[in-house]
Amino acid sequence: MNDLAHQIETLNIELLKQVPEEILGAFQKSIQDLKSLNIEINSLKVGDKIPDFSLKNAVNDTITSDSILRNRKMIIAFYRGSWCPYCNLELRALQENLLRITAKNTTLVAISPQSSDNSLTLKEKHNLQFEVLTDLHNAYAKQLGITFQLQDFVIPHYQTLGINLEDFNKDQENKLPVPAVFAVNENGIIIYKFLDVNYMNRIDIEELINVL
């Protein structure tokens, strides 16, 4: 078991102790419903060209895919938001391997629908040394086919846990990206994809680095 998988296993054990059974059951039903949407199949695939982006970073500077892909590869890690403990574990694992990633002539960026100020807080809290970008209203994630509407029955459970997406995303859409990681070559062609609607399942960092 890799380090990230071990950390997730530990988190799952802790959440089973702390989160009410009713809420955990609602989360599982949400995941099962999402599986029926076939997002994994319908989203962009290895071999497809990734759309260009122009997004604001944590300090409101504009970052473009064109500027990154000048003779470099790129990893895009989509995460749900700083409120998601699984996303935080994955981003920290990527940070811990950042030197190995950059040694492969690759730039890492993370993208979520949350506002720049929330991204800045996340970046500072976890000392992330890569760009954390804001995808307003999930506009870019929609182009990749990886967004979903959070179901009405699960929203109150999020709020019970103190997660109000309106506060994080500055909109009332209650839409999120499926946690996903894409690696693309210098021409913007996808060479690696990990996507799983079960947000508890995350990438194998070694597998990611080996394809670069």
Side-chain angles (χ1 to χ4, degrees):
M1 181 181 294
N2 61 55
D3 288 345
L4 178 55
H6 179 72
Q7 292 169 18
I8 288 174
E9 183 179 74
T10 300
L11 174 60
N12 286 337
I13 293 170
E14 289 302 312
L15 291 179
L16 281 173
K17 297 175 184 177
Q18 299 173 15
V19 179
E21 186 175 337
E22 178 187 3
I23 294 179
L24 292 175
F27 288 171
Q28 285 300 318
K29 184 178 186 305
S30 173
I31 290 170
Q32 290 304 315
D33 287 353
L34 290 178
K35 288 182 178 179
S36 68
L37 300 179
N38 294 319
I39 295 174
E40 292 94 335
I41 297 172
N42 296 327
S43 55
L44 290 189
K45 302 170 179 62
V46 170
D48 290 338
K49 190 177 190 304
I50 207 155
D52 296 335
F53 66 71
S54 178
L55 302 171
K56 297 290 187 179
N57 67 6
V59 293
N60 278 311
D61 292 331
T62 299
I63 306 297
T64 68
S65 53
D66 283 346
S67 65
I68 294 172
L69 290 173
R70 290 173 185 162
N71 301 313
R72 292 184 66 81
K73 292 168 283 191
M74 176 172 60
I75 293 171
I76 307 174
F78 285 90
Y79 68 104
R80 302 191 300 167
S82 55
W83 50 267
C84 171
Y86 296 92
C87 297
N88 291 335
L89 287 179
E90 182 174 83
L91 293 177
R92 280 164 44 191
L94 288 167
Q95 172 61 43
E96 289 167 1
N97 288 276
L98 186 58
L99 290 178
R100 298 176 64 201
I101 291 170
T102 56
K104 295 285 191 106
N105 195 40
T106 303
T107 297
L108 168 66
V109 299
I111 297 177
S112 86
Q114 71 179 11
S115 63
S116 293
D117 56 340
N118 284 310
S119 294
L120 180 60
T121 300
L122 168 76
K123 189 175 171 71
E124 292 176 342
K125 180 179 179 180
H126 298 295
N127 193 29
L128 303 180
Q129 304 301 308
F130 51 86
E131 296 287 9
V132 181
L133 308 179
T134 294
D135 180 21
L136 287 175
H137 312 303
N138 292 285
Y140 185 61
K142 287 174 185 174
Q143 293 183 59
L144 277 67
I146 63 170
T147 59
F148 67 94
Q149 181 73 48
L150 196 63
Q151 303 98 327
D152 288 342
F153 71 83
V154 83
I155 292 173
H157 296 299
Y158 273 67
Q159 294 171 342
T160 295
L161 297 175
I163 303 167
N164 189 333
L165 293 182
E166 290 185 24
D167 294 337
F168 284 95
N169 298 351
K170 309 303 183 188
D171 64 30
Q172 299 178 332
E173 294 184 355
N174 287 312
K175 289 185 178 179
L176 293 171
V178 175
V181 177
F182 295 88
V184 302
N185 65 17
E186 296 88 341
N187 298 314
I189 304 300
I190 299 170
I191 58 173
Y192 171 89
K193 169 187 173 181
F194 176 89
L195 185 152
D196 195 322
V197 296
N198 184 347
Y199 55 82
M200 291 178 281
N201 296 332
R202 297 291 169 145
I203 58 169
D204 182 327
I205 300 283
E206 293 301 321
E207 181 179 89
L208 171 63
I209 292 175
N210 285 339
V211 302
L212 297 175

